[in-house]
Amino acid sequence: MNLFNHTPILILAVPLLTAFLIPIIGKINKKTTGILATLALGLSLIMTIVLAAKVLSVGPQVYVFGEKSSLLTLPSGLKFPIRIMFQIDAMGIFMGLITALVSFLGAVYSLAFLDNKDKIDSYYSLLLLLTVSMFGMEFTGDLFNFFVFLEIASMASVSLICYRGADLGEPVEAGFKYMVVSSISALMVLFAVGIFYGEYDVLNIAAIASVVKYSQLDKIALGILVSVLAMKAGAVPMHMWTPDAYSEAPAPITMILVAASQASLYAIFRIVFSMYNITLNTLAVGWIIIILGLLSMFIGVTMAIIQKDIKRLMAYHAISQTGYMLLGVGVGLAVLANPEALKDYGITAMEGGIFHIMNHAMYKGLLFLTAGALFFRTGTRDLNKMGGLAHYMKYTTIFFIIGAAAIAGLPPFNGFASKLLIYESVYKFNPLLSIIAMVVSILTLASFVKVFHSAFLGPKLPQFKEVKEVPRSMVFAMAVLSCIIIFFGLFPDLIVKNLVHPAVMSLIEQLQYTGTVLGGM
Amino acid sequence: MLGLLETGSGFWSAIIWILLVLVIGGMVIYLRNKGEDSYKKNTEQDKPFISGNPEESKESSHLSASHIYWGFTEALKGYYDPLVKMHTGHINDYSGWIIVLTVIILIVIGVSG
Amino acid sequence: MIGNFPYFAVILLIGCGIYILMFQKNLIKLAIGINLIENGINLFLITLGYRKGAIAPIYTQAPSGQAMVLPTPQALTLTSIVIGVATSALILSMAMMIYKHYGTIEVNEVRRLRG
């Protein structure tokens, strides 16, 4: 038995088993649970990197459960796959890398961040479950399996949003709202899965992709899936849960929730590109996604400007940045059936959108962590009550400047590189879209200038005399994210060429995805 | 070259940009250091100009977040009022929007064929 | 026509659930609405698995030549029921916590987070 062949399942199994081990260990010693969770997530980060190297050099990997060999997709001469399987292509591993990195840093940050040490074991247990479900959503090749992981993700994240619920009402309210909307979305996903099963008798994404006809039923399933998954990703006008949940969750959890909502975004792309591809009316569906993106960008950023709660403000920015991803990939989808336009600007637009997913996870994670650092030391999230904190928290200030510059798309940080890709390619599709995207970028800068001015600048305030720099593990997590942002900003071509471009190509070329399961059909 | 990102209609390189910033910044600093003839130290010119009003103490002059962009939100009242009213916080509205948008998307997909 | 009858029941159940989620103002009723949608979808999955004249797929007791149903929909429904139990428990416990902190479970009152 070669463990190396089992990396896809070990990435999930290690955190999953640790998640159930932690409550037992927590009975003996609560403090070690945090270190144990961090170690498990670190191990799964290393394995994700190993798997990424394999996927990018060899090609898409499959892992079939319950079969003698994990590579046997079609046992005993069947025409269609019946087993549950993981199917990891360049796009899946791209999202997997984001998940692994973000959850590892979230666990490191939590080591010092958590003040309530009594419930620390359940916190880490749920954090590991959330990570596992995100990996599952990104790796799975089976629609029903996707639904199960979606439900695990929403349950784990709801419990984590309510983490401070024993003393406060607001976190529970946010959790309740998120639970209701995510239950609706998960059930609607199950309904769509049922439609696919009734029509084609298979649940494997690749197998459905090879027979999908875009009939009336397929259209209904597509509409339901796009809308509810866009809701999970936080697209306007279904975004109202986002500011509630993001602002009330503990800061490291907010960072992971951003990655979890991006896993839903990934599912939209997977379904639209890998499952339907050019059978659907690409122009109509592309425009639906573009308009969702435009609304998210504009309404998200304008609502952010008037917020007074620092995390609520950043949550509205998360909505607005999701709009960029939808815009970039939507333009790619709109020209999918037109090979010339696709080659001319479609691929670049998609590269911009996909690259933005990773950039957003990094800088928005960093910003939420700085907001958490401010909350950790000052005990408030209200911008009106803050001021002059740059005098006391020098590292946090520097990290905030890096994150704010990156999200506003200032060169030379990473946000600029991906936004430039989107502007220049979307301009060829429709100049108006590009102009709106730039206006939104300016408004983003404006609102972060507001945060920077009211929280960090100004004279020393008497009530913050005791404030000092945050503990080392929090600084470490923020420093790692800052280094990644600067590295991506200085060498965007390395990432685009080696990670983003293969991901885009594996979305566009449907056969690359279906071929790994069904053989070159 | 390392760091050169092709964007389809041009290229972007952070390294070149940083070099340019260094060169232009150097020129600006050089010009600034040449000085301004009419400036005299320790006169009225050193004080901030606030239309003749007396200068406030540093602690009371901090502008809190609600006052920033007051003019912007005031000018766009017609846009902001309905938008803020839309964010009711009612859980019914949250689920209502999902259903409404699903129906709209289904209609668009159905009509477009 | 009579064969399509379960699908009408599915639509009715999901419709009732959606109506409750959109217009009822009590948090416990919202949990009931979600359960209704879930039951509708479970019924949908089970109906998909029905084949006229087919028997349960137990190899040892099957008469030869008889058609068997594919057990996948039943498996899906079972999983979905289990997940539904967890969801309901979580939602109801959160409604309880909200009542503890807010003193009410009316939707109109439970909206400190808005704007």
Side-chain angles (χ1 to χ4, degrees):
Chain A
M1 187 168 129
N2 186 355
L3 268 183
F4 195 67
N5 289 336
H6 295 276
T7 28
I9 187 62
L10 282 175
I11 290 174
L12 274 87
V14 170
L16 186 65
L17 294 178
T18 320
F20 290 108
L21 197 66
I22 276 179
I24 302 168
I25 292 181
K27 288 262 181 282
I28 307 160
N29 188 345
K30 295 234 189 261
K31 268 196 186 142
T32 49
T33 55
I35 295 163
L36 194 66
T38 314
L39 284 179
L41 288 172
L43 191 59
S44 111
L45 172 63
I46 292 168
M47 284 190 296
T48 317
I49 293 169
V50 169
L51 184 64
K54 201 173 169 191
V55 168
L56 293 173
S57 59
V58 180
Q61 301 287 314
V62 285
Y63 188 89
V64 186
F65 293 100
E67 197 59 53
K68 284 196 193 75
S69 154
S70 62
L71 302 175
L72 202 60
T73 54
L74 300 172
S76 52
L78 284 173
K79 282 265 166 50
F80 56 90
I82 53 166
R83 304 243 181 232
I84 292 175
M85 64 179 76
F86 278 177
Q87 210 176 330
I88 304 143
D89 63 345
M91 184 67 203
I93 199 69
F94 177 80
M95 298 301 298
L97 279 174
I98 296 173
T99 305
L101 192 64
V102 162
S103 52
F104 171 67
L105 290 175
V108 172
Y109 187 90
S110 306
L111 287 177
F113 182 76
L114 289 181
D115 45 355
N116 189 344
K117 301 282 184 205
D118 303 339
K119 294 184 294 177
I120 194 165
D121 50 343
S122 51
Y123 174 89
Y124 277 108
S125 186
L126 287 165
L127 195 157
L128 288 167
L129 276 180
L130 179 58
T131 312
V132 169
S133 59
M134 279 151 65
F135 275 129
M137 282 160 77
E138 287 148 3
F139 288 173
T140 188
D142 185 282
L143 271 180
F144 185 74
N145 204 6
F146 172 78
F147 158 77
V148 173
F149 282 121
L150 191 70
E151 279 280 24
I152 299 174
S154 56
M155 270 182 252
S157 43
V158 164
S159 319
L160 284 167
I161 291 166
C162 301
Y163 179 68
R164 296 180 301 134
D167 322 311
L168 288 167
E170 284 89 351
V172 190
E173 183 192 334
F176 188 90
K177 287 172 173 175
Y178 182 42
M179 189 72 223
V180 170
V181 289
S182 62
S183 301
I184 299 173
S185 88
L187 288 172
M188 287 297 153
V189 167
L190 184 58
F191 186 65
V193 172
I195 291 175
F196 285 127
Y197 184 80
E199 210 179 350
Y200 303 116
D201 286 339
V202 277
L203 290 168
N204 189 285
I205 295 177
I208 295 174
S210 65
V211 289
V212 76
K213 290 191 295 280
Y214 202 47
S215 59
Q216 286 297 335
L217 280 173
D218 287 344
K219 283 179 191 170
I220 293 174
L222 176 74
I224 289 174
L225 283 172
V226 167
S227 105
V228 297
L229 289 173
M231 189 281 289
K232 288 281 281 185
V236 172
M238 305 171 288
H239 63 290
M240 278 109 162
W241 64 269
T242 324
D244 300 352
Y246 284 10
S247 63
E248 292 304 330
I253 297 307
T254 317
M255 175 169 84
I256 301 174
L257 282 179
V258 170
S261 71
Q262 285 171 346
S264 307
L265 200 66
Y266 156 83
I268 300 182
F269 301 159
R270 174 62 76 210
I271 283 160
V272 170
F273 282 98
S274 294
M275 218 158 89
Y276 286 93
N277 210 285
I278 51 170
T279 56
L280 53 71
N281 184 341
T282 48
L283 202 60
V285 182
W287 269 104
I288 289 173
I289 293 180
I290 291 171
I291 287 172
L292 279 178
L294 282 184
L295 280 175
S296 308
M297 276 193 321
F298 198 73
I299 293 182
V301 81
T302 44
M303 281 304 288
I305 285 188
I306 58 169
Q307 296 303 318
K308 293 170 200 74
D309 179 327
I310 181 165
K311 278 180 81 184
R312 224 176 151 74
L313 186 145
M314 288 178 180
Y316 274 111
H317 277 297
I319 298 166
S320 152
Q321 299 299 311
T322 308
Y324 278 96
M325 303 158 204
L326 288 170
L327 175 67
V329 180
V331 167
L333 179 64
V335 297
L336 188 63
N338 179 354
E340 275 171 29
L342 186 67
K343 208 160 173 248
D344 188 19
Y345 54 85
I347 292 179
T348 319
M350 282 186 64
E351 277 173 1
I354 303 285
F355 189 28
H356 207 67
I357 294 180
M358 187 165 228
N359 290 341
H360 177 237
M362 298 302 136
Y363 58 63
K364 186 42 68 65
L366 177 63
L367 286 170
F368 275 124
L369 292 189
T370 53
L374 295 182
F375 179 73
F376 185 71
R377 282 301 185 211
T378 64
T380 177
R381 295 198 314 259
D382 193 344
L383 282 171
N384 283 332
K385 291 179 187 152
M386 293 186 194
L389 290 169
H391 295 289
Y392 309 106
M393 307 170 82
K394 297 216 164 45
Y395 290 121
T396 311
T397 314
I398 294 169
F399 296 143
F400 180 84
I401 292 173
I402 292 172
I407 195 174
L410 294 184
F413 296 103
N414 60 357
F416 178 75
S418 52
K419 281 183 181 177
L420 187 73
L421 284 175
I422 294 174
Y423 297 153
E424 294 207 341
S425 51
V426 168
Y427 187 82
K428 287 185 194 160
F429 179 72
N430 191 337
L432 191 64
L433 303 180
S434 201
I435 293 165
I436 295 174
M438 284 184 204
V439 170
V440 168
S441 195
I442 294 164
L443 292 175
T444 309
L445 181 62
S447 70
F448 273 96
V449 167
K450 166 180 165 175
V451 177
F452 185 59
H453 178 273
S454 50
F456 290 100
L457 296 188
K460 292 183 180 181
L461 293 182
Q463 64 266 38
F464 296 137
K465 258 190 197 124
E466 304 291 309
V467 170
K468 54 181 192 290
E469 189 53 72
V470 289
R472 227 175 292 145
S473 82
M474 291 164 77
V475 173
F476 171 78
M478 292 192 278
V480 171
L481 284 173
S482 307
C483 291
I484 292 172
I485 288 171
I486 292 172
F487 178 76
F488 282 11
L490 291 181
F491 307 106
D493 58 323
L494 279 182
I495 312 298
V496 170
K497 224 177 277 166
N498 297 324
L499 271 174
V500 180
H501 189 70
V504 170
M505 291 325 280
S506 77
L507 278 181
I508 291 175
E509 287 168 7
Q510 195 185 14
L511 273 180
Q512 253 191 40
Y513 189 76
T514 55
T516 46
V517 175
L518 304 168
M521 272 176 69
Chain B
M1 193 190 126
L2 198 62
L4 203 71
L5 180 69
E6 297 282 340
T7 58
S9 26
F11 71 92
W12 158 248
S13 167
I15 315 277
I16 295 175
W17 184 86
I18 289 174
L19 289 178
L20 268 177
V21 164
L22 286 180
V23 170
I24 295 171
M27 280 154 68
V28 168
I29 289 171
Y30 170 73
L31 283 176
R32 190 183 181 280
N33 282 349
K34 281 180 82 175
E36 163 68 39
D37 295 336
S38 61
Y39 171 68
K40 293 175 193 66
K41 247 186 170 172
N42 296 328
T43 59
E44 288 233 308
Q45 286 177 338
D46 279 348
K47 286 186 179 161
F49 177 72
I50 35 178
S51 308
N53 294 318
E55 196 183 338
E56 285 183 51
S57 76
K58 284 227 165 73
E59 276 69 22
S60 63
S61 66
H62 182 62
L63 201 59
S64 68
S66 301
H67 302 294
I68 303 176
Y69 302 135
W70 175 84
F72 178 81
T73 44
E74 192 69 15
L76 293 177
K77 234 179 164 55
Y79 170 76
Y80 269 117
D81 281 348
L83 195 63
V84 173
K85 213 174 272 172
M86 208 178 86
H87 293 78
T88 51
H90 270 114
I91 181 72
N92 299 123
D93 293 355
Y94 290 33
S95 24
W97 275 113
I98 302 171
I99 309 296
V100 168
L101 207 83
T102 310
V103 170
I104 292 174
I105 288 180
L106 283 177
I107 290 171
V108 171
I109 289 179
V111 168
S112 68
Chain C
M1 186 62 202
I2 195 78
N4 284 338
F5 208 70
Y7 295 109
F8 294 126
V10 168
I11 290 170
L12 198 69
L13 277 171
I14 296 180
C16 283
I18 287 173
Y19 172 82
I20 290 176
L21 283 173
M22 283 175 80
F23 297 109
Q24 289 296 323
K25 301 279 178 199
N26 186 313
L27 296 188
I28 306 282
K29 284 184 186 165
L30 295 185
I32 296 173
I34 287 174
N35 265 334
L36 276 181
I37 297 183
E38 192 205 313
N39 290 341
I41 286 164
N42 286 341
L43 183 62
F44 179 58
L45 289 176
I46 277 293
T47 317
L48 290 175
Y50 176 73
R51 291 286 174 273
K52 204 173 177 190
I55 58 158
I58 306 166
Y59 275 107
T60 48
Q61 294 169 4
S64 62
Q66 184 118 29
M68 290 180 185
V69 295
L70 197 64
T72 317
Q74 280 97 332
L76 302 190
T77 315
L78 210 58
T79 318
S80 146
I81 288 171
V82 172
I83 291 173
V85 170
T87 316
S88 314
L90 197 56
I91 289 185
L92 288 174
S93 67
M94 274 190 294
M96 210 174 73
M97 294 276 276
I98 287 177
Y99 185 74
K100 214 164 92 187
H101 290 297
Y102 287 58
T104 173
I105 46 170
E106 282 296 302
V107 167
N108 294 332
E109 313 277 324
V110 187
R111 52 194 198 107
R112 284 187 206 163
L113 302 168
R114 59 170 177 230

